[in-house]
Amino acid sequence: MPVIDDVRRIAADLPGSEERETTAGPAWFVRNKAFVWECRAWPSIPAELREIIERELVVGVKVAQSIEADALREMHPDVFLAQTTRWGEPKVAFRMGGIDAEHLEELIIESWRVQAPRYLRRELDVRMGFADS
């Protein structure tokens, strides 16, 4: 089961990524835009979701469109939580206990791509061998 240090390692390897300690816990930003964060049980979150977040490690990521979050929730309702808050939409929160390492990396990188400017996305693509230098 991945832990927050796995999130930290994956996020730290992305161009322009910066970890910050927020009132909600650790969060990772690219060009001042959050792309992954540890979720906290805020009073504004529905009670049934607050209980899960209080018991387990839950992480949130940005997605390009709400339909992506809806699809993840529909495919894996035991892992991806119902909408936590309207702040920062579109996004999705998930139980780390239900995610394998490969899927975690995919979620974080895709979330980073949603928030990163084109020049940083290109830098990562070149590094990963997806584009010419």
Side-chain angles (χ1 to χ4, degrees):
M1 173 176 79
V3 295
I4 202 70
D5 281 339
D6 295 311
V7 173
R8 183 171 282 115
R9 175 186 49 76
I10 295 164
D13 196 40
L14 297 169
S17 177
E18 175 187 351
E19 180 177 352
R20 297 182 194 167
E21 191 61 36
T22 68
T23 56
W28 290 266
F29 294 77
V30 60
R31 302 285 298 172
N32 291 318
K33 296 179 181 177
F35 66 96
V36 62
W37 57 90
E38 181 177 355
C39 295
R40 298 291 184 184
W42 297 107
S44 59
I45 294 174
E48 64 276 5
L49 298 178
R50 257 195 336 268
E51 290 173 16
I52 293 168
I53 294 168
E54 287 170 351
R55 286 192 320 263
E56 306 176 34
L57 176 57
V58 174
V59 169
V61 293
K62 287 290 286 185
V63 293
Q65 298 178 352
S66 294
I67 195 165
E68 292 175 44
D70 294 341
L72 288 167
R73 291 178 186 120
E74 191 173 307
M75 288 187 301
H76 305 286
D78 54 326
V79 176
F80 293 91
L81 303 181
Q83 185 180 41
T84 53
T85 65
R86 292 213 180 274
W87 174 87
E89 287 298 319
K91 67 180 184 300
V92 67
F94 56 90
R95 296 169 158 173
M96 286 284 281
I99 295 289
D100 64 36
E102 186 176 315
H103 196 190
L104 177 65
E105 184 172 27
E106 178 184 316
L107 287 164
I108 293 171
I109 291 172
E110 286 308 309
S111 178
W112 174 87
R113 284 186 181 283
V114 168
Q115 298 292 59
R118 186 178 319 175
Y119 76 94
L120 288 177
R121 292 191 310 261
R122 178 151 174 77
E123 181 180 326
L124 182 64
D125 288 346
V126 168
R127 186 184 340 155
M128 296 176 79
F130 296 142
D132 297 327
S133 50

